């Protein structure tokens, strides 16, 4: 046990994902030894983020306004929506500069073990958007995990009856890499999903 | 392929032990409770990343210790692999291969071939289908990392579907259940495809092993599945996968009412039965104890042969107190393997292991394992 103010910070830090007791201690003592202004800036940043940021009313991306910058952008194609599990997946897809539609953040993937069913995700919000926005294609960009795949399959069953095209991101080889560096599983799936040239 | 060094801390009965086994046959001699099997279990853990006795990780920690550590160096054609495993009493275990976390645990089993012959191997033949499914799945995963990955994926999907059925029962969201059906069907079909591929590879090897162990020529392996008809199972390797996926999807949907009522998945690869037949009879129910023993031994010998051929090197062989139980013919089939690679043998008596090798006994003030044959002429 450390002095209560130090211990309190260690306990809080240790609750963060990916941070164990040891890392929490190291971070706390680091913050104890840096310039006070640096530590205060970190605290302010956390408080400001929580006070100023909220979820986009349309797609549930994080935003400082009512709608996120992507939903507000009139040049984006409103007929295609890319469905992701978490808001942090959006910048990753944006960096590709290959996608000009909008997004929808589900808030996770279907996982009965974790008690997450369709009702715990933003599925109904997505269904409502189909009509409201005249969406023609939904791209399921959930993670290539058992749960992400199943969520994509669920989306297909949910939305196809509404006349919406549902597609899934392909899995395959990393571009620009050597074939012999690819792991067998990825390579195996890439082989199974091969395309006619 | 051989284990060059081994270090244990707070593992089972050991507080600390380190060992540099010989390249050939290593015989561990001692009374019951001397910790012979614990050593073999630790060596097996280096590759399979679990106990060959099926013990939970918590049982591997010495009483009162905060965690167990297994470390070993394994020499392969491509250089030494260092495997380090920490099993804490609380929290997750940590596995490092050459100082890095392996991307998938299955890669370790597939990269370090080992075969264990155990006193209760008879269960492979005598007991229910689960033992034979595990035999196929374990061997398959040792031959190809994708087999291991397919299994992990299927088990995950099945566990999710079963949890949905158990928690919600007839109230389960039907669209979600259909989505799980589809995911279980694709993953499950891959698992069965892998098992059927393996059975085809196994057939000739098992036949030869059975003759060596003193059995006749009429040994055959069949795969019985309540949902995949004989036509699907017999289909050619490339056409089989789509047919298996369709069959499993249909079976899951046909059994929906039953699954919802019983709150579990009542058909699938997890209920299939690999059958070993002897002259057309089921070896489980219609073979003598002697025939069953020969078949069980042949299954292990065949696993050894397949791994040896696949890796182009002799797998590490673990023989836990099995030689004394075998009659001369069956023992000879095992002893044939001894000169081929590194072997770890446990025995209670000094005189029943014919092989010459490194003989290890516990001696000295700290009762550590000492070898009296540093020459290792085996």
């Amino acid at each position: 046990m450390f002095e209560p103010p130090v211990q309190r910070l260690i306990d809080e830090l240790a609750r963060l994902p990916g941070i164990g007791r040891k890392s929490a201690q190291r971070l706390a003592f680091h913050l104890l030894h840096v310039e006070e202004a640096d530590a205060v800036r970190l605290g302010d940043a956390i408080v400001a983020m929580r006070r100023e940021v909220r979820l986009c009313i349309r797609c549930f991306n994080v935003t400082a306004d009512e709608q996120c910058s992507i939903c507000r952008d009139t040049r984006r194609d409103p007929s295609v929506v890319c469905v992701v599990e978490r808001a942090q997946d959006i910048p990753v897809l944006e960096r590709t500069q290959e996608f000009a539609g909008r997004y929808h953040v589900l808030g996770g993937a279907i996982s009965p073990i974790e008690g997450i069913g369709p009702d715990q995700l933003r599925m109904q919000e997505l269904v409502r958007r189909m009509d409201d926005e005249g969406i023609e294609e939904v791209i399921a960009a959930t993670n290539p995990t058992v749960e992400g795949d199943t969520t994509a399959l669920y989306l297909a069953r949910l939305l196809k009856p509404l006349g919406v095209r549902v597609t899934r991101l392909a899995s395959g080889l990393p571009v620009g890499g050597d074939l012999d560096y690819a792991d067998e599983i990825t390579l195996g799936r890439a082989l199974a999903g091969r395309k006619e040239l | 392929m051989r284990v060059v060094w081994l270090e244990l801390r707070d593992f089972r009965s050991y507080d600390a032990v380190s060992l540099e086994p010989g390249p050939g046959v290593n015989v561990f001699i001692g009374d019951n409770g001397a910790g012979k099997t614990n050593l073999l279990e630790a060596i097996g853990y280096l590759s399979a990343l679990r106990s060959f006795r099926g013990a939970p990780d918590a049982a591997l920690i010495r009483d009162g210790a905060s965690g167990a550590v297994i470390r070993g160096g394994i020499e392969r054609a491509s250089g030494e692999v260092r495997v380090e495993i920490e099993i804490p009493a609380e929290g997750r275990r940590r596995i490092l291969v050459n100082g890095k976390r392996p991307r998938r645990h299955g890669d370790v089993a597939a990269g370090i071939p080992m075969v264990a012959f155990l006193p209760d191997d008879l269960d492979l033949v005598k007991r229910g289908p689960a033992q034979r499914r595990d035999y196929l799945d374990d061997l398959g995963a040792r031959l190809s990392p994708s087999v291991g990955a397919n299994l992990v994926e299927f088990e995950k999907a099945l566990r999710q579907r079963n949890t949905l059925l158990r928690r919600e029962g007839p109230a389960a969201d039907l669209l979600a259940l259909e989505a799980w059906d589809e995911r279980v069907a694709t993953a499950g079909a891959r698992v069965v495809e892998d098992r059927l591929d393996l059975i085809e590879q196994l057939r000739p090897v098992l036949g030869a092993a059975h003759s060596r162990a003193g059995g006749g020529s009429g040994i055959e392996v069949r795969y019985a599945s309540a949902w995949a008809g004989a036509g699907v199972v017999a289909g050619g390797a490339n056409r089989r996968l789509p047919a298996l996926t369709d069959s499993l999807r249909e079976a899951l949907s046909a059994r929906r009412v039953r699954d919802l009522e019983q709150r579990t998945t009542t058909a699938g690869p997890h209920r299939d039965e690999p059958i070993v037949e002897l002259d057309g009879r089921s070896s489980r129910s219609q073979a003598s104890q002697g025939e069953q023993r020969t078949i069980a031994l042949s299954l292990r010998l065949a696993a050894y042969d397949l791994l040896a051929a696949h890796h182009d090197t002799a797998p590490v062989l673990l023989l836990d107190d099995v030689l004394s139980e075998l009659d001369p013919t069956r023992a000879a089939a095992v002893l044939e393997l001894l000169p081929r690679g590194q072997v770890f043998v446990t025995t209670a008596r000094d005189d029943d292991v014919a092989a010459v090798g490194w003989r290890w006994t516990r001696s000295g003030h700290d009762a550590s394992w000492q070898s009296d044959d540093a020459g290792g002429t085996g």
Side-chain angles (χ1 to χ4, degrees):
Chain A
M1 268 306 211
F2 297 96
E3 287 298 302
V6 180
Q7 189 62 44
R8 199 178 129 216
L9 179 60
I10 292 174
D11 290 345
E12 289 300 328
L13 289 169
R15 289 171 56 190
L16 299 174
I19 301 207
R21 302 297 320 170
K22 286 237 174 76
S23 305
Q25 262 178 41
R26 214 177 52 233
L27 289 171
F29 279 95
H30 172 79
L31 290 169
L32 194 61
H33 291 121
V34 296
E35 293 288 326
E36 190 179 333
D38 289 339
V40 168
R41 205 164 52 240
L42 174 66
D44 286 348
I46 294 173
V47 173
M49 178 189 81
R50 289 306 306 230
R51 294 234 169 100
E52 292 162 26
V53 168
R54 49 188 168 159
L55 300 183
C56 170
I57 56 159
R58 193 200 296 263
C59 76
F60 303 94
N61 188 8
V62 289
T63 174
D65 298 289
E66 191 164 271
Q67 283 196 15
C68 74
S69 54
I70 295 169
C71 285
R72 283 197 314 259
D73 186 343
T74 52
R75 290 163 305 178
R76 311 258 334 184
D77 178 356
S79 72
V80 193
V81 165
C82 184
V83 177
V84 293
E85 291 183 21
R86 317 212 157 269
Q88 56 263 44
D89 299 331
I90 293 177
V92 184
L93 286 155
E94 281 298 285
R95 275 202 297 275
T96 67
Q97 305 207 5
E98 292 287 332
F99 180 66
R102 289 174 179 159
Y103 291 91
H104 187 84
V105 182
L106 284 178
I110 296 176
S111 173
I113 289 171
E114 293 167 273
I116 303 172
D119 293 347
Q120 279 70 46
L121 302 170
R122 299 189 190 98
M123 291 287 181
Q124 286 318 308
E125 291 85 344
L126 179 63
V127 170
R128 246 172 274 133
R129 288 183 64 183
M130 295 301 114
D131 261 357
D132 292 357
E133 298 169 39
I135 290 165
E136 290 162 17
E137 180 183 354
V138 166
I139 303 170
T142 47
N143 293 333
T145 57
V146 165
E147 293 77 19
D149 288 346
T150 306
T151 307
L153 292 165
Y154 178 88
L155 285 172
R157 282 171 172 73
L158 184 70
L159 301 175
K160 272 185 183 166
L162 307 176
V164 179
R165 187 169 167 238
V166 180
T167 53
R168 175 91 172 112
L169 291 188
S171 36
L173 298 173
V175 175
D178 281 341
L179 211 57
D180 56 353
Y181 279 116
D183 72 288
E184 296 87 349
I185 317 304
T186 306
L187 194 53
R189 296 290 150 86
L191 202 57
R194 65 188 182 274
K195 280 183 182 165
E196 186 92 45
L197 290 176
Chain B
M1 171 73 50
R2 67 184 185 100
V3 178
V4 190
W5 56 269
L6 176 74
E7 280 175 22
L8 306 179
R9 218 181 59 218
D10 294 326
F11 181 86
R12 293 275 194 189
S13 53
Y14 296 103
D15 46 5
V17 72
S18 65
L19 216 67
E20 286 180 27
V25 180
N26 293 270
V27 187
F28 293 91
I29 305 159
D31 297 331
N32 287 337
K36 306 176 304 256
T37 301
N38 296 349
L39 270 187
L40 258 65
E41 186 180 33
I43 295 167
Y45 203 112
L46 285 177
S47 156
L49 303 181
R50 57 193 171 87
S51 155
F52 60 49
R53 292 157 152 175
D57 278 351
L60 306 180
I61 302 168
R62 190 173 61 87
D63 278 346
S66 61
V69 177
I70 311 169
R71 285 198 197 97
I74 292 135
E75 190 184 84
R76 300 196 296 188
S78 53
E80 190 179 305
V81 192
R82 184 190 171 92
V83 181
E84 298 166 275
I85 301 141
E86 276 180 51
I87 306 167
E90 274 173 56
R92 294 166 68 94
R93 66 176 180 173
R94 218 162 66 101
I95 294 163
L96 296 176
V97 176
N98 288 338
K100 285 193 202 129
R101 286 170 51 189
R103 190 154 34 162
R104 278 181 309 267
H105 288 171
D107 292 355
V108 182
I112 305 173
M114 284 194 194
V115 180
F117 288 55
L118 307 173
D120 52 5
D121 276 351
L122 190 56
D123 289 350
L124 281 177
V125 184
K126 242 186 146 161
R127 292 189 54 190
Q131 265 76 15
R132 287 179 296 284
R133 285 195 302 266
D134 288 350
Y135 168 84
L136 288 179
D137 293 343
D138 282 354
L139 179 56
R142 287 185 169 279
L143 290 166
S144 154
S146 67
V147 170
N150 289 343
L151 266 170
V152 168
E153 208 174 271
F154 169 67
E155 281 161 9
K156 211 186 248 178
L158 183 67
R159 207 159 52 233
Q160 289 280 21
R161 188 180 190 267
N162 283 341
T163 306
L164 178 65
L165 291 167
R166 196 178 62 243
R167 292 218 179 128
E168 311 282 331
D173 181 320
L174 278 185
L175 279 188
L177 187 57
E178 269 179 44
W180 284 113
D181 286 2
E182 183 68 37
R183 196 64 193 80
V184 167
T186 23
R190 285 197 196 107
V191 167
V192 176
E193 166 81 351
D194 290 338
R195 287 180 186 163
L196 296 173
D197 280 351
L198 178 59
I199 288 175
E200 275 156 32
Q201 289 181 63
L202 198 57
R203 257 184 204 125
V205 184
L206 182 62
H210 192 242
S211 314
R212 257 159 50 216
S217 58
I219 191 166
E220 178 59 279
V221 188
R222 273 199 313 119
Y223 192 78
S225 167
W227 53 273
V232 175
V233 168
N238 278 324
R239 280 163 304 144
R240 205 157 52 193
L241 192 58
L244 284 168
T245 313
D246 290 345
S247 301
L248 186 49
R249 188 191 301 110
E250 281 161 27
L252 290 170
S253 123
R255 286 172 179 247
R256 173 156 306 146
V257 176
R258 192 187 315 185
D259 282 5
L260 287 168
E261 274 169 9
Q262 300 194 6
R263 294 178 178 240
T264 191
T265 305
T266 58
H270 59 298
R271 298 272 176 115
D272 290 351
E273 174 154 23
I275 300 172
V276 183
E277 286 178 343
L278 196 59
D279 302 320
R281 297 168 286 142
S282 153
S283 60
R284 183 188 176 193
S285 53
Q286 299 172 50
S288 71
Q289 176 103 346
E291 287 171 329
Q292 289 180 333
R293 243 179 232 295
T294 307
I295 293 170
L297 184 66
S298 314
L299 286 168
R300 292 294 184 211
L301 291 169
Y304 183 97
D305 291 346
L306 272 186
L307 283 172
H310 179 78
H311 288 275
D312 207 12
T313 177
V316 173
L317 181 58
L318 309 175
L319 302 176
D320 185 23
D321 208 12
V322 287
L323 286 169
S324 58
E325 302 291 315
L326 300 172
D327 66 22
T329 314
R330 298 195 195 105
V334 178
L335 292 172
E336 261 174 35
L337 305 178
L338 300 195
R340 293 180 55 187
Q342 193 182 34
V343 186
F344 294 88
V345 187
T346 66
T347 179
R349 292 188 307 273
D350 196 356
D351 56 349
D352 67 349
V353 180
V356 184
W358 291 43
R359 309 172 90 75
W360 297 82
T361 47
R362 291 191 86 162
S363 57
H365 64 284
D366 56 350
S368 62
W369 285 102
Q370 307 277 350
S371 79
D372 63 357
D373 184 358
T377 47

